[in-house]
């Protein structure tokens, strides 16, 4: 059974040697891959000298790196971790055990139930993590504790069936929603988190990347729960139409005259658009269900191919 440690890196020269060494110590049987994403500080050479297999992804962004990792590498267990030495290598042993015993399709290293808020002194990062967790759990009927953690474990089926569309730091949110919507078995394991060491700088822009994550959430709601999304849009349009229509209706009851004909025409148009929007949601809901059925057949085929290779 092959285990692969996947480490996406961009300018992590201050920490990558320790990260590779820690994983070699805890999991000497695993292959450690460092994917360098246009680093300019010698991260790749440090990782290679520490014993990692170094590969390159030249399209900038963590999502692009993860896409290359998942396409390139075949393994029975995948453990992905950031190269900033904020996650404990010893936790990977339990991740591997659960994946290889087929008890989970994705393992989430849960920082937020541990010491994350004590270690991380960036207020808006803490608020952002809570907000994203609330959004996902509300709209996707889940109870995940940590949506955006950078330490996860995966099995072969998840990795080879995950259609990555994110280019940057939204990738963690996309992974979580994909697992929820496709009935993958998720296990969360609390892990100790430590803040970056002095001299190691976060690549996450609180506001810019936070906006991208929020935009990704709304895109995922639209794509994964189209009936819900377009029904809400229809209700909003009907409320707008009602706000303008009822004053005209009440005026008609009191005077017998129909006033504001142009407004009534606009209201009729809004109601028509609301009805069309709702039926768009119905159609997309049916297509999404058909896609889910096709995805299940894809997983069956993937398992059959894997058994033949074995």
């Amino acid at each position: 059974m092959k285990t692969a440690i996947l480490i996406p890196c961009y300018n992590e020269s201050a920490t990558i040697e320790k990260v590779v060494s820690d994983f070699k110590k805890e999991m000497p049987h695993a292959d450690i891959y460092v994917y360098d994403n246009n680093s300019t500080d010698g991260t790749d050479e440090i990782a290679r000298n520490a014993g990692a297999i170094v590969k390159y992804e030249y399209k900038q962004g963590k999502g692009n790196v993860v896409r290359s990792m998942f396409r390139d590498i075949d393994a029975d267990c995948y453990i992905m971790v950031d190269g900033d030495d904020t996650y404990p290598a010893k936790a990977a042993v339990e991740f591997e055990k659960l994946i290889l015993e087929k008890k989970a399709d994705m393992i989430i290293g849960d920082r937020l139930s541990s010491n994350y808020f004590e270690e991380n002194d960036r207020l808006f990062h803490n608020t952002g993590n809570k907000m994203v967790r609330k959004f996902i759990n509300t709209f996707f009927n889940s109870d995940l504790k940590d949506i955006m953690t950078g330490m996860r474990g995966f099995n072969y089926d998840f990795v080879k069936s995950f259609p990555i569309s994110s280019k940057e730091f939204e990738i963690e949110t996309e992974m979580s929603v994909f697992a929820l919507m496709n009935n993958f078995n998720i296990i969360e394991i609390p892990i100790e988190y430590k803040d970056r060491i002095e001299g190691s700088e976060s690549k996450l822009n609180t506001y810019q990347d936070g906006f991208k994550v929020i935009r990704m959430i709304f895109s995922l709601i639209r794509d994964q729960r189209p009936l819900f999304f377009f029904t809400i849009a229809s209700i909003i349009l009907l409320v707008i139409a009602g706000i303008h229509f009822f004053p005209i209706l009440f005026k008609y009851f009191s005077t017998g005259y129909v006033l504001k004909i142009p407004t009534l025409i606009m209201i009729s148009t809004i109601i028509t658009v609301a009805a069309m929007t709702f039926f768009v949601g119905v159609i997309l809901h049916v297509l999404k269900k058909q896609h889910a059925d096709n995805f299940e057949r894809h997983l069956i085929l993937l398992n059959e191919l894997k058994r033949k290779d074995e």
Side-chain angles (χ1 to χ4, degrees), residues 248 259-272:
I248 298 174
L259 305 177
K260 299 183 179 180
I261 300 299
T263 302
L264 282 174
I265 295 173
M266 182 193 72
I267 291 169
S268 300
T269 302
I270 292 175
I271 292 173
T272 302

Side-chain angles (χ1 to χ4, degrees), residues 2 24-25 27 44 80 96 105 125 127 132 178 193 202 209 250 253 266 296 306:
K2 178 181 177 181
K24 285 179 68 69
K25 178 182 177 182
M27 307 184 75
D44 54 343
M80 188 177 77
E96 180 188 49
D105 300 304
H125 283 209
T127 303
V132 170
F178 175 76
Y193 176 88
S202 174
D209 290 308
F250 296 148
F253 286 149
M266 182 193 72
E296 287 298 321
K306 186 178 178 182

